[in-house]
């Protein structure tokens, strides 16, 4: 038991204190039931007819009363909130403004009811205060209150009895299904997803036409929710459960594409997220998962969302990881995949019920029938009243003189009214209307207008009566009005529906396999790796390619290779960082490669010469310098260093050629600018450690220098190409890597050129003088370009365009012929 004391005036005023003993259980039950009913009916659950909670209904109705229609100007949201709170909703202003903001957010509602102007927030940010934002009704909101002044719905007193408010809105479309709803009451909750307006109206019209339609027929029109933020719904069984029983669950996935976000990396580009999930929430979860080492393969996350392009979340993937497998991890560990639990609880005749799709549509359709019926009754009554007045006025116009005489002869208006009623058999309403009509309205022209109005009113009354007395006509009108709404405000579906994920991603390994591949370097300075595939062709089709492959090394996807430069440096490259090209059945092309400058920083005048493997079991690297030094490098490259010195150069010297030996049985070939060629077996050069400076490779004449160093398989069909320069002609400038080309590729040597079989030149010993490889014509004083290598030979200009070579000349020391196009680089098979 508990004791409740009621305070009364002091005893000396004649009153006594009263104490009532009550049962605590009864008091708690009664108070709790009152509170629960208030929350359920007046706050948390929507009405199944218009799909609105009281606060939303009051906002829309009050904005309509304030005249904030779509064709009017915006007003401050604080003014709307104040009007709603003062007249209809006696609760805090924050709850009213929060509801109003949600009605204006296109990512929260499929068909926003408030046209907001200003910062109404985002999925991650709060809106501005109501004193800063402005609003007015949207077009769909105006349809919610259309014909509300034609006795279409019942009104009730507001909280203080000084105002009237509607118990439900006319609702020209099924707002509950279109915009969905969510709320938590006492002992129950509702959570309904948005749907596509066109699909929902199509289902409602089908139900109007076929009242006994089953769920399967309706789901042909409404296959599933259509969320404002798009995305992909995975699994439709839960949706059917919800449409059948009112409860179900489905999964929403973000819409993601795999793109090349940089020349070196792929990324996942997210353009749509699950409903009510913002990009900052996803980013924070990704960072947490990466920090906890539960999520692998992500290098960076960038939010590039803007108003012009919409949502764009870029997730960069580390090289060596499969983007598809990383995406599967993101779906499992982050809000990029989210679950939505459908719980279709709404008020029907004041009682909370769990409704399926057919029940929701049926409640709305019945409501719309009632609205149109009441509207038609109202309009017919209005027209009948007007017709009654018009008929009386026409009677008066027939005998207008007598009417005037009766009025003039009457002592007062009351006697005039009685006289007119007695003489013409008019009703009191007709008689009063005649007395109130000015004489200027009683002309012949006004009589014609009144007769036309009478005919029009009779036709309209007949039409309204036909609708009211015929159920098929009523259904036809409701269906036609719904079709007009769909045509005016319908949009395409945004959410993709999938029966299942239907993805083999679970079988995709997270990291890229260490598969065999080749790394390629082109004459224009492009790097790429290609899978081991088709064999290069040996026809002139190579020359149709945009570029020439000057160096290629076999390796694996997760290994390292090196780039050798003219300063004697070896720069380590991680193969997995290079862009991947598909294998080709013909000549390779690096059209999808990345510039060398993205991986290697070259100093002024430094040139990239070749690629080399870092395999210690290989025959090693061979180098030739401008001053005639040769060196074979012992393949010992520390794994903890990315920049190594592979030869100790003397002052003023530079590496002019570097080649990866494949067998160790190749011939090393020097060509000098004074047209001397020396070849000898690579076995004559002892391998040395990286810091060594090499040994004498060729004996140079005074003032001569080496311009070409290569390695040639003596058993292969090989050629020697040389270009002589005219006396006094300067060497063409080199194309630097900053221009996108391979460092050191000359802009083009154009002079007299000679192409000779390699076997015309005899072997000699190391550090000896060579034999002449081109006889100079009058005015020529040296070689500008030289190269020796296996066939087929590919020549290109500095831009990578193919260049023609002269015909073969069997003479070892013959003179050259003029070139048609300047040649910048030559290369053999790769």
């Amino acid at each position: 038991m508990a004791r409740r004391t009621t305070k009364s005036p002091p005893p000396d005023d004649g009153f006594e204190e009263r104490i009532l003993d009550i049962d605590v259980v009864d008091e708690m039950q009664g108070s709790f039931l009152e509170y629960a009913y208030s929350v359920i009916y007046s706050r948390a659950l929507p009405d199944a007819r218009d799909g609105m909670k009281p606060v939303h209904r009051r906002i829309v109705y009050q904005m309509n009363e304030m005249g904030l229609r779509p064709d009017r100007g915006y007003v401050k949201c604080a003014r709307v909130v104040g009007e709603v709170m003062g007249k209809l909703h006696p609760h805090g202003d924050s709850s009213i403004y929060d509801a109003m903001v949600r009605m204006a957010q296109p990512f929260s509602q499929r068909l926003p009811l408030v046209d907001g102007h200003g910062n109404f927030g985002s999925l991650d940010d709060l809106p501005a205060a109501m004193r800063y934002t402005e609003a007015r009704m949207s077009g769909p909101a105006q349809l919610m209150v259309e014909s509300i002044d034609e006795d279409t719905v019942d009104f009730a007193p507001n909280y203080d009895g000084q105002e009237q408010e509607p118990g439900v809105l006319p609702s020209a479309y099924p707002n509950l299904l279109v915009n969905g709803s969510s709320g938590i009451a006492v002992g129950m909750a509702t959570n309904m997803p948005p749907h596509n307006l066109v699909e929902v109206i199509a289902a409602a019209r089908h139900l109007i036409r076929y009242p006994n339609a089953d769920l399967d027929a309706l789901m042909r029109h409404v296959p599933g929710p259509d969320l404002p933020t798009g995305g992909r719904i995975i699994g439709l069984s839960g949706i059917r459960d919800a449409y059948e029983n009112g409860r179900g669950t489905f999964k929403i996935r973000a819409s993601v594409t795999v793109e090349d976000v940089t020349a070196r990396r792929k990324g996942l580009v997210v353009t749509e997220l699950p409903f009510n999930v913002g990009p900052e929430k996803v980013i924070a979860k990704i960072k947490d998962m990466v920090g906890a080492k539960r999520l692998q393969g992500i290098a960076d996350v960038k939010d590039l969302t803007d108003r012009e392009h919409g949502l764009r979340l870029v997730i960069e993937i580390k090289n060596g990881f499969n983007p598809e497998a990383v995406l599967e991890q993101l779906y499992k560990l982050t809000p990029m995949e989210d679950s939505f639990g459908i719980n279709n609880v709404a008020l029907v005749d004041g009682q909370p019920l769990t409704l399926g799709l057919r029940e929701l549509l049926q409640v709305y359709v019945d409501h719309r029938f009632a609205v149109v019926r009441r509207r038609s009754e109202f309009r017919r009554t209005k027209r009948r009243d007007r017709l009654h007045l018009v008929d009386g006025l026409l009677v008066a116009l027939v005998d207008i003189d007598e009417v005037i005489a009766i009025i003039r002869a009457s002592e007062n208006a009351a006697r005039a009214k009685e006289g007119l009623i007695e003489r013409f058999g008019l009703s009191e309403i007709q008689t009063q209307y005649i007395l109130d009509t000015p004489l200027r309205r009683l002309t012949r022209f006004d009589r014609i207008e009144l007769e036309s109005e009478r005919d029009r009113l009779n036709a309209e009354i007949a039409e309204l009566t036909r609708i009211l007395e015929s159920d098929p006509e009523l259904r036809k009108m409701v269906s036609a009005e719904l079709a007009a709404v769909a045509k005016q405000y319908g949009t395409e579906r945004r959410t993709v529906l999938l029966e299942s994920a239907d993805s083999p991603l679970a079988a995709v390994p997270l990291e890229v396999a260490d598969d065999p591949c080749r790394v390629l370097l082109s004459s224009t300075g492009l790097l790429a790796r290609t899978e081991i595939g088709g064999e290069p062709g040996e026809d002139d089709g190579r020359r149709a390619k945009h570029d020439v492959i000057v160096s290629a090394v076999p390796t694996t996807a997760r290994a390292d290779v090196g780039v050798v430069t003219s300063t004697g440096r070896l720069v380590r490259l991680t193969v997995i960082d290079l862009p991947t090209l598909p294998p080709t059945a013909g000549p390779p092309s690096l059209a999808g490669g990345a510039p060398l400058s993205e991986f290697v920083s070259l100093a002024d005048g430094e040139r990239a010469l070749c690629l080399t493997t870092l395999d210690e079991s290989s025959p090693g690297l061979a180098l030739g310098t401008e001053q005639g030094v040769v060196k074979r490098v012992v393949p010992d490259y520390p794994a903890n260093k990315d920049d190594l010195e592979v030869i100790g150069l003397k002052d003023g010297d530079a590496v002019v050629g570097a080649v990866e030996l494949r067998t160790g049985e190749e011939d090393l070939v020097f060509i000098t600018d004074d047209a001397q060629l020396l070849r000898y077996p690579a076995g004559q050069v002892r391998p040395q450690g990286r810091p060594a400076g090499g040994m004498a490779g060729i004996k140079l004449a005074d003032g001569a220098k080496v311009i070409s160093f290569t390695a040639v398989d003596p058993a292969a069909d090989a050629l020697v190409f040389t270009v002589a320069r005219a006396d006094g002609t300067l060497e063409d400038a080199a194309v630097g890597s900053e221009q996108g080309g391979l460092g050191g590729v000359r802009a083009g040597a154009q002079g007299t050129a000679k192409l000779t079989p390699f076997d015309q030149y005899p072997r000699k010993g190391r550090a000896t003088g060579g034999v002449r490889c081109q006889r100079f014509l009058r005015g020529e004083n040296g070689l500008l370009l030289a190269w020796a290598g296996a066939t087929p030979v590919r020549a290109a200009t500095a831009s990578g365009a193919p260049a023609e070579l002269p015909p073969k000349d069997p003479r070892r020391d013959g003179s050259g012929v003029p070139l048609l196009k300047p040649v910048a680089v030559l290369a053999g098979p790769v």
Side-chain angles (χ1 to χ4, degrees):
M1 300 292 291
R3 176 169 293 181
R4 181 167 63 189
T5 301
T6 60
K7 293 184 178 180
S8 304
D12 55 3
D13 290 339
F15 294 96
E16 295 182 358
E17 184 179 39
R18 292 184 300 169
I19 300 176
L20 301 177
D21 291 329
I22 63 172
D23 186 75
V24 175
V25 175
D26 293 341
E27 179 69 18
M28 291 297 294
Q29 286 180 345
S31 298
F32 183 78
L33 286 175
E34 290 180 7
Y35 167 74
Y37 179 79
S38 175
V39 171
I40 291 171
Y41 184 75
S42 302
R43 192 175 303 177
L45 297 183
D47 193 295
R49 295 170 291 178
D50 62 1
M52 288 190 169
K53 302 176 186 177
V55 63
H56 301 114
R57 186 179 302 115
R58 289 163 178 167
I59 290 172
V60 173
Y61 173 71
Q62 192 59 43
M63 290 181 76
N64 182 64
E65 290 295 296
M66 295 171 66
L68 304 181
R69 297 175 182 84
D71 57 345
R72 308 286 179 86
Y74 295 93
V75 301
K76 289 289 186 182
C77 290
R79 179 181 168 190
V80 178
V81 171
E83 290 285 326
V84 173
M85 182 171 59
K87 293 183 177 181
L88 305 176
H89 199 70
H91 301 282
D93 57 353
S94 61
S95 63
I96 300 174
Y97 184 55
D98 288 346
M100 187 175 177
V101 164
R102 183 173 175 82
M103 294 166 69
Q105 293 174 334
F107 52 83
S108 296
Q109 292 202 318
R110 192 63 178 82
L111 206 62
L113 300 176
V114 172
D115 181 7
H117 181 65
N119 177 16
F120 278 80
S122 67
L123 287 166
D124 297 307
D125 296 323
L126 296 175
M130 60 183 173
R131 62 182 179 273
Y132 299 119
T133 56
E134 299 177 334
R136 64 185 178 190
M137 297 175 69
S138 67
Q142 195 169 17
L143 292 177
M144 294 295 296
V145 295
E146 189 178 48
S147 70
I148 196 172
D149 56 347
E150 294 182 297
D151 193 32
T152 52
V153 294
D154 294 330
F155 280 72
N158 70 334
Y159 64 93
D160 61 2
Q162 297 185 18
E163 302 283 344
Q164 293 286 315
E165 64 173 315
V168 67
L169 297 183
S171 186
Y173 59 91
N175 178 64
L176 183 57
L177 278 167
V178 172
N179 280 324
S181 183
S182 63
I184 300 176
V186 179
M188 62 186 67
T190 184
N191 197 31
M192 304 177 65
H195 292 76
N196 186 275
L197 175 69
V198 176
E199 296 175 356
V200 172
I201 287 182
R205 295 183 67 199
H206 183 83
L207 187 61
I208 291 172
R209 186 175 182 182
Y210 303 101
N212 297 322
D214 59 9
L215 180 61
D216 290 333
L218 296 177
M219 286 191 66
R220 283 197 288 270
H221 299 283
V222 184
D226 186 21
L227 307 174
T229 53
R232 297 182 300 162
I233 291 179
I234 307 297
L236 304 184
S237 59
I239 294 175
R240 180 176 177 82
D241 292 340
Y243 287 169
E244 186 172 4
N245 307 314
R247 296 176 184 269
T249 303
F250 62 86
K251 290 184 178 181
I252 320 168
R253 280 188 173 182
S255 296
V256 186
T257 57
V258 180
E259 299 180 10
D260 293 323
V261 294
T262 68
R264 300 173 59 179
R265 278 183 177 162
K266 290 187 177 296
L268 303 173
V269 179
V270 183
T271 54
E272 293 175 349
L273 285 172
F275 188 43
N276 289 332
V277 174
E280 289 188 7
K281 183 178 180 180
V282 174
I283 293 173
K285 190 64 175 180
I286 290 176
K287 289 181 178 179
D288 291 343
M289 292 292 101
V290 171
K293 297 184 179 180
R294 295 185 59 191
L295 191 58
Q296 301 179 31
I298 295 180
D300 193 13
V301 184
K302 298 176 182 177
D303 186 3
L304 304 181
T305 303
D306 56 35
R307 292 186 178 181
E308 181 179 355
H309 301 95
L311 176 67
R312 185 174 175 84
L313 188 63
V314 179
I315 304 172
E316 291 189 12
I317 305 301
K318 291 181 180 179
N319 291 318
F321 288 83
N322 287 313
E324 293 82 2
V326 174
L327 177 59
E328 191 69 13
Q329 281 192 329
L330 289 170
Y331 284 147
K332 292 179 180 178
L333 301 176
T334 72
M336 285 177 59
E337 179 177 282
D338 198 13
S339 294
F340 190 100
I342 301 176
N343 191 21
N344 295 333
V345 178
L347 296 175
V348 179
D349 296 329
Q351 296 183 357
L353 299 177
T354 302
L355 307 173
L357 176 63
R358 192 186 188 286
E359 290 77 17
L360 287 168
L361 288 171
Q362 189 65 60
V363 170
Y364 171 76
V365 167
D366 291 343
H367 169 63
R368 197 61 191 166
F369 287 157
V371 167
V372 174
R373 186 178 293 107
R374 292 180 61 167
R375 183 188 67 192
S376 300
E377 285 278 9
F378 179 85
R379 290 177 178 178
R380 186 174 68 172
T381 300
K382 283 288 187 182
R383 283 155 179 74
R384 282 177 173 174
D385 292 344
R386 176 60 184 170
L387 180 61
H388 186 62
L389 297 177
V390 171
D391 287 340
L393 200 56
L394 286 172
V395 169
L397 284 175
V398 172
D399 295 313
I400 186 63
D401 293 335
E402 187 175 355
V403 170
I404 294 174
I406 292 174
I407 294 174
R408 291 186 63 186
S410 301
E411 296 178 358
N412 50 46
R415 295 299 300 272
K417 181 186 294 186
E418 292 175 0
L420 292 174
I421 292 174
E422 182 180 351
R423 170 66 183 83
F424 296 104
L426 300 173
S427 67
E428 289 191 11
I429 295 176
Q430 288 175 319
T431 305
Q432 187 63 46
Y433 184 70
I434 292 171
L435 292 174
D436 293 339
T437 302
L439 287 175
R440 56 185 170 83
R441 290 289 312 278
L442 304 178
T443 64
R444 181 181 300 174
F445 178 75
D446 286 301
R447 179 177 178 177
I448 296 173
E449 283 187 343
L450 288 171
E451 290 176 346
S452 298
E453 184 179 1
R454 179 190 60 190
D455 295 339
R456 177 175 57 81
L457 289 171
N458 282 323
E460 290 177 356
I461 291 171
E463 177 65 21
L464 291 169
T465 301
R466 187 170 61 88
I467 293 173
L468 289 169
E469 294 179 352
S470 172
D471 184 69
E473 290 297 327
L474 179 65
R475 291 176 174 273
K476 183 178 179 181
M477 171 165 280
V478 172
S479 180
E481 291 179 353
L482 286 172
V485 174
K487 182 178 180 181
Q488 184 177 6
Y489 293 105
T491 57
E492 295 291 332
R493 165 172 280 276
R494 299 176 186 173
T495 303
V496 178
L497 302 177
L498 300 174
E499 186 67 39
S500 63
D502 193 23
S503 173
L505 297 184
V508 176
L510 179 60
E511 298 187 37
V512 174
D514 196 20
D515 295 328
C517 64
R518 289 192 303 167
V519 177
L520 310 175
L521 174 64
S522 77
S523 64
T524 56
L526 296 177
L527 277 170
R529 63 186 171 98
T530 182
E531 302 171 5
I532 301 298
E535 294 297 327
E538 299 204 3
D539 54 17
D540 288 339
R542 289 178 175 275
R543 311 184 67 156
K545 295 298 178 181
H546 86 291
D547 206 347
V548 169
I549 307 301
V550 296
S551 185
V553 293
T555 182
T556 60
R558 306 191 68 83
D560 291 340
V561 296
V563 176
V564 182
T565 74
S566 58
T567 60
R569 286 197 306 148
L570 185 148
V571 182
R572 187 185 298 270
L573 292 178
T574 302
V575 175
I576 203 69
D577 288 345
L578 304 178
T580 305
L581 303 179
T584 58
S589 172
L590 263 65
L596 177 69
S597 57
E598 289 196 12
F599 306 91
V600 179
S601 296
L602 298 177
D604 291 341
E606 187 177 15
R607 299 179 290 124
L609 301 176
C610 79
L611 300 172
T612 180
T613 65
L614 304 181
D615 186 359
E616 295 183 0
S617 63
S618 70
L621 185 67
L623 306 170
T625 75
E626 191 175 81
Q627 295 180 4
V629 175
V630 67
K631 180 183 179 183
R632 284 184 62 184
V633 184
V634 174
D636 178 20
Y637 307 110
N640 59 346
K641 290 186 178 181
D642 294 333
D643 196 332
L644 306 170
E645 184 184 66
V646 291
I647 185 173
L649 293 173
K650 297 180 181 179
D651 292 341
D653 201 2
V655 180
V656 295
V659 63
E660 171 83 10
L661 299 178
R662 298 184 179 180
T663 65
E665 303 298 328
E666 294 92 344
D667 280 354
L668 303 181
V669 183
F670 283 91
I671 303 177
T672 66
D673 62 351
D674 61 350
Q676 297 297 307
L677 185 149
L678 175 65
R679 58 176 286 199
Y680 51 85
Q684 294 185 11
V685 181
R686 176 176 51 85
Q688 297 176 305
R690 286 182 294 101
M695 59 187 68
I698 183 173
K699 183 178 180 181
L700 296 174
D702 293 340
K705 63 180 180 179
V706 177
I707 61 172
S708 173
F709 174 81
T710 58
V712 180
D713 184 351
D717 182 18
L719 296 171
V720 176
F721 177 76
T722 55
V723 180
R725 66 167 179 257
D727 190 14
T729 301
L730 297 176
E731 292 187 6
D732 293 336
V735 178
S737 60
E738 68 277 5
Q739 297 171 300
L742 178 63
V745 174
R746 301 194 179 281
Q750 188 164 14
T752 60
K754 176 172 168 287
L755 192 65
T756 308
F758 180 68
D759 57 13
Q760 295 297 312
Y761 301 92
R763 279 182 173 179
K764 298 183 66 175
R766 179 182 63 83
T768 61
V771 296
R772 188 165 60 183
C773 57
Q774 181 169 346
R775 182 184 298 276
F776 296 141
L777 300 174
R778 181 177 298 178
E780 295 177 341
N781 63 355
L783 295 182
L784 181 61
L785 179 67
W787 176 86
T791 59
V793 181
R794 291 160 293 136
T797 64
S799 65
E804 296 293 332
L805 295 177
K808 292 181 182 179
D809 187 346
R811 299 173 299 167
R812 186 180 69 188
D813 61 347
S815 56
V817 296
L819 276 175
L820 299 177
K821 185 182 294 186
V823 175
V825 64
L826 293 96
V830 295

